[in-house]
């Protein structure tokens, strides 16, 4: 039997020390053993979020933090711009609408990044817009949006910049304090190498003002109440204790490698994959502004995308993601996040070559692998 290779852009593989820590008997969150673990997590999260501000830990998948990033900062009827270039951008629009805000869509072709000038123009034209919602990395299309440039536009206005960093935090630099991003959210099952179930949110001083005037309905994700509790290393409700025990392990791991080290390793693997794919004569779905979180490869003409995914799973125990909606059956997405190393990249490319060949696509075996090795060997 082959080793299981989880290379979908979330959930991602969990390192042994985190799995073992989570397998220990459950702690009670009001007992003294828990507090220092929680405190260490809060400290480690500041490092990973590149912020001096508090990072709150919520029991939810990433979307819970996205929802909190709407309900805690806006008012009923507030106009908010959102970048829709994929499934997750679309989700901002749905959450905004669900809570009675007035979402204004910036539509972006799938596979492309938003042009920051479009955001500047929209803000110039409509002073009623109070916030901009965007993904740093749009996982459904493997695109990286230019958040630093967008922050330059929003920073000196009375406009909140809210960034879904779910496949960016721990993937590439997203220094929220330095760039002037107002809200950043992420989740546990992507670059943070944990099972799903934790969401995280941090916000700026500017966002504090929005927090004060927000009047949207909320109960579970009440960030003001939660912040008060977490400042004392407690949570308002029962925390996901076992996941937090695992979180301490992965945060220690990131600190040991350093955040720069993690970013560098991820970038190298992403570049090796992209170049290998091109060497194989395949096309990238997002050639101009690729995210290092995952690589979206166009399934070549004559090959069925579902069959390719199935072949990778059945022949090599490898899970990659397909495409969603308009990209369904047309792309596969290979993750580079978290507990993945350069030899995983080589293995994924080898499996891709073999599977394509098996499905009748002409492949000179080793072409992609050789290209990847040449890039990995330079580093
Ligand atoms: C995974 C992901 C999410 C959150 O999804 P959940 O299933 O709620 O964890 C949101 N945004 C992006 C960009 C993602 O990759």
């Amino acid at each position: 039997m082959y080793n299981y290779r989880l290379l979908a852009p979330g959930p991602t593989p969990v390192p042994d020390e985190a799995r073992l820590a989570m397998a220990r008997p459950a702690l009670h969150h009001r007992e003294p053993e828990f507090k220092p673990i929680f405190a260490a997590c809060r400290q480690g999260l500041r490092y990973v979020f590149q912020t001096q501000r508090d990072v709150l830990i919520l029991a939810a998948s990433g979307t819970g933090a996205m929802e909190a990033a709407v309900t805690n900062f806006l008012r009923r009827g507030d106009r908010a711009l959102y970048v829709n270039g994929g499934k997750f951008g679309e989700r901002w629009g749905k959450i905004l609408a669900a809570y009675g805000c007035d979402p204004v869509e910036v539509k972006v072709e799938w596979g492309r990044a938003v042009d920051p000038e479009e955001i500047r123009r929209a803000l110039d034209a409509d002073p009623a817009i109070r916030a901009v919602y965007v993904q740093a990395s749009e996982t459904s299309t493997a695109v990286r949006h230019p958040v630093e440039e967008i922050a330059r536009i929003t920073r000196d206005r009375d406009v909140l910049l809210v960034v879904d960093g779910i496949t960016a935090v721990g993937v590439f630099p997203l220094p929220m304090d330095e760039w002037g991003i107002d809200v950043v959210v992420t989740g546990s099952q992507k670059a943070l190498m944990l099972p799903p179930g934790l969401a995280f949110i941090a916000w700026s001083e500017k966002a504090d003002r929005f927090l004060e005037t927000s009047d949207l309905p909320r109960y579970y994700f009440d960030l003001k109440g939660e912040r008060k509790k977490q400042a004392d290393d407690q949570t308002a409700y029962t925390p996901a204790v076992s996941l937090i025990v695992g979180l301490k392990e992965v945060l220690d791991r990131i600190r040991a490698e350093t955040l720069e080290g993690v970013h560098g390793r991820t970038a190298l693997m992403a570049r090796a994959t992209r170049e290998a794919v091109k060497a194989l004569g395949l096309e990238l779905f997002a050639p101009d502004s690729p995210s290092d979180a995952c690589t979206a490869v166009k399934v070549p003409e004559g090959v069925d995308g579902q069959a390719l995914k199935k072949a990778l799973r059945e022949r090599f125990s490898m899970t990659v993601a397909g495409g969603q909606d308009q990209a369904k059956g047309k792309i596969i997405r290979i993750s580079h996040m978290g507990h993945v190393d350069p030899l995983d990249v080589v293995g994924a490319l080898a499996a891709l070559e073999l599977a394509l060949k098996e499905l009748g696509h002409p492949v000179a075996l080793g072409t992609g692998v050789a290209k990847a090795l040449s890039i990995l060997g330079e580093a």
Side-chain angles (χ1 to χ4, degrees), residues 150-170:
I150 298 170
R152 268 193 221 118
I153 296 164
T154 54
R155 203 159 46 196
D156 302 320
R157 302 179 192 231
D158 202 25
V159 171
L160 204 68
L161 175 58
V162 182
V163 174
D164 170 354
I166 296 180
T167 57
V169 174

Side-chain angles (χ1 to χ4, degrees), residues 9-10 61-64 66 88 91 135 137-140 164-167 187 189-190 196:
S61 80
T63 305
M66 291 175 73
F88 294 109
R91 188 169 298 175
Q135 271 60 38
S137 166
E138 172 53 77
T139 321
S140 63
D164 170 354
I166 296 180
T167 57
Q189 80 275 25
K190 310 281 172 88

Side-chain angles (χ1 to χ4, degrees), residues 17-27 37 241-242 245-246 248-249:
E17 66 266 32
R19 291 197 295 127
L20 289 169
M22 291 187 289
R24 290 202 298 260
L27 289 175
I37 296 173
V241 177
S242 298
V245 166
K248 180 178 177 305
E249 299 297 324

Side-chain angles (χ1 to χ4, degrees), residues 132-283:
V132 175
Y133 286 79
V134 66
Q135 271 60 38
S137 166
E138 172 53 77
T139 321
S140 63
T141 60
V143 161
R144 178 172 176 170
H145 287 304
V147 167
E148 186 178 10
E149 285 78 0
I150 298 170
R152 268 193 221 118
I153 296 164
T154 54
R155 203 159 46 196
D156 302 320
R157 302 179 192 231
D158 202 25
V159 171
L160 204 68
L161 175 58
V162 182
V163 174
D164 170 354
I166 296 180
T167 57
V169 174
V171 177
F172 51 76
L174 194 71
M176 58 176 291
D177 294 358
E178 188 190 324
W179 287 358
I181 303 170
D182 294 301
V183 183
V184 173
V185 302
T186 195
S188 55
Q189 80 275 25
K190 310 281 172 88
L192 290 182
M193 304 176 269
L194 290 172
L198 291 179
F200 309 94
I201 185 164
W203 64 92
S204 68
E205 232 175 278
K206 181 161 119 189
D208 270 334
R209 282 194 287 115
F210 284 71
L211 194 66
E212 288 309 317
T213 56
S214 166
D215 64 359
L216 293 179
R218 71 187 89 95
Y219 181 79
Y220 187 61
F221 297 123
D222 178 31
L223 297 183
K224 250 165 118 181
E226 197 65 57
R227 174 166 64 185
K228 223 176 268 160
K229 282 288 190 180
Q230 296 199 12
D232 189 30
D233 298 322
Q234 309 250 336
T235 51
Y237 311 105
T238 310
V241 177
S242 298
L243 288 169
I244 289 169
V245 166
L247 177 63
K248 180 178 177 305
E249 299 297 324
V250 295
L251 291 171
D252 286 350
R253 190 185 174 94
I254 292 172
R255 216 189 263 280
E257 186 177 358
T258 76
L259 194 57
E260 294 71 27
V262 172
H263 293 158
R265 173 173 50 83
T266 310
L268 177 69
M269 295 188 297
R271 185 160 66 86
T273 305
R274 292 193 293 262
E275 293 307 317
V277 161
K278 287 192 270 179
L280 276 168
L282 305 177
E283 276 180 77

Side-chain angles (χ1 to χ4, degrees), residues 75-113:
R75 302 171 308 208
R76 224 172 288 263
D78 266 353
R79 195 162 295 163
L81 208 66
Y82 72 102
V83 175
N84 180 1
K87 282 307 278 181
F88 294 109
E90 178 182 73
R91 188 169 298 175
W92 280 134
K94 287 182 177 170
I95 298 170
L96 287 162
Y99 282 98
C101 299
D102 178 11
V104 179
E105 180 183 68
V106 177
K107 189 125 185 113
V108 180
E109 192 191 328
W110 278 40
R112 305 234 169 253

